[in-house]
């Protein structure tokens, strides 16, 4: 099936759009913030890594196998506030995984919930995926709260299944089906 060309998705306070070269400074600044990186896979995030990410996304479409990173930008100013991602399974493109990050100054205002809702609407509504999951550190209360608020179901609590930043950690797995999303009151 042809993957539709992604342009942007507009929500109440934010826009999901493609990352651009002008986003580099903000992207690297928040990804380098230890508070933001605490439960993420990276530790130091330098400009060359950010540049590579922006470059890698240039020729990609969400819905293709692999990761697609969306910019989360302010609807009013277009300033980059964070990013979120969809990974489509290489063996079955009806299955996906999501991730999300906001800069510290944009946290605690419900923007994480709005961004993930917008992403799920795109993933289920436009791309018609069957099932989406998300994995989060069991200590990451903000992420778990967002995932529960958007209606995702905690399906697993994995005990010390990852050696992460110097210690064994637990993870939660959340998931949702497309038909469950369609029947979620909004
Ligand atoms: C996860 C993340 C995107 C959430 O974004 P956000 O915009 O702050 O989320 P929201 O405001 O929509 O909701 C978060 C809720 O969790 C609550 N929360 C956050 N930390 C909490 C804590 N330690 N204890 C209890 N509640 C907490 C917030 O108070 C908020 O609830 P409220 O609206 O009732 O106040 C953001 O914290 C982030 O980018 N973190 C760093 C990257 C990351 O860990 N990403 C997830 C990887 S799986």
């Amino acid at each position: 099936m042809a993957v539709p060309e992604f342009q942007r998705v507009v929500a109440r306070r934010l826009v999901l759009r493609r990352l651009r070269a002008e986003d580099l400074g903000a992207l690297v600044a928040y990804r380098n913030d230890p508070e933001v990186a605490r439960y993420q896979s990276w530790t130091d995030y330098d400009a060359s890594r950010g540049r590579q990410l922006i470059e890698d996304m240039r020729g990609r479409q969400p819905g293709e196998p692999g990761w697609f990173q969306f910019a989360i930008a302010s609807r009013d100013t277009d300033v980059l506030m964070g990013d979120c991602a969809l990974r489509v399974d290489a063996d079955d493109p009806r299955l996906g995984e999501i991730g999300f990050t906001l800069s510290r100054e944009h946290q605690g205002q419900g923007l994480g919930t709005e961004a993930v809702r917008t992403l799920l609407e795109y993933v289920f509504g436009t791309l018609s995926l069957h099932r989406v999951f998300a994995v989060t550190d069991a200590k990451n209360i903000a992420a778990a709260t967002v995932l529960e608020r958007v209606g995702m179901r905690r399906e697993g609590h994995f005990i010390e299944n990852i050696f992460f930043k110097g210690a064994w950690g637990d993870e939660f797995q959340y998931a949702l089906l497309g038909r469950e999303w369609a029947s979620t009151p909004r």
Side-chain angles (χ1 to χ4, degrees):
M1 192 186 69
V3 174
E5 167 80 20
F6 176 73
Q7 304 290 346
R8 55 188 5 231
V9 181
V10 180
R12 192 167 71 83
R13 292 175 295 168
L14 57 84
V15 174
L16 301 188
R17 59 160 171 78
R18 287 180 172 275
L19 284 164
R20 304 180 188 133
E22 310 87 87
D23 295 326
L24 182 67
L27 177 78
V28 172
Y30 67 72
R31 284 194 164 213
N32 245 327
D33 178 342
E35 277 299 309
V36 170
R38 176 177 294 179
Y39 301 114
Q40 300 283 35
S41 56
W42 65 84
T43 306
D44 299 313
Y45 202 91
D46 61 16
S48 68
R49 214 164 150 189
R51 211 173 282 117
Q52 189 67 53
L53 176 68
I54 294 170
E55 188 56 40
D56 288 348
M57 292 305 123
R58 217 180 282 279
R60 288 187 49 74
Q61 294 295 333
E64 290 174 351
W67 282 105
F68 183 88
Q69 212 80 29
F70 301 79
I72 304 173
S74 160
R75 182 174 168 169
D76 287 344
T77 65
D78 205 33
V79 161
L80 188 73
M81 303 190 290
D83 56 86
C84 60
L86 168 69
R87 181 181 65 80
V88 168
D89 190 286
D91 294 323
D92 190 333
R94 296 168 297 184
L95 301 174
E97 175 180 2
I98 58 166
F100 43 91
T101 300
L102 278 178
S103 78
R104 209 190 309 190
E105 65 179 298
H106 294 104
Q107 293 178 14
Q109 303 160 47
L111 287 165
T113 303
E114 187 175 334
V116 175
R117 274 207 184 105
T118 306
L119 178 62
L120 290 176
E121 180 56 33
Y122 179 75
V123 165
F124 288 128
T126 302
L127 299 179
S128 304
L129 260 67
H130 176 69
R131 176 184 159 93
V132 162
F133 76 94
V135 175
T136 183
D137 192 293
K139 294 208 253 358
N140 193 348
I141 299 170
T145 303
V146 165
L147 291 166
E148 284 167 24
R149 267 191 193 156
V150 301
M152 292 187 74
R153 173 179 50 253
R154 189 189 294 175
E155 293 186 336
H157 181 172
F158 304 115
I159 311 296
E160 296 193 13
N161 67 321
I162 183 165
F163 192 79
F164 182 71
K165 301 192 175 175
W168 288 105
D170 290 11
E171 288 182 319
F172 291 145
Q173 180 166 304
Y174 287 86
L176 192 67
L177 302 175
R179 65 172 178 273
E180 293 172 323
W181 176 253
S183 63
T184 302
R186 284 188 285 279

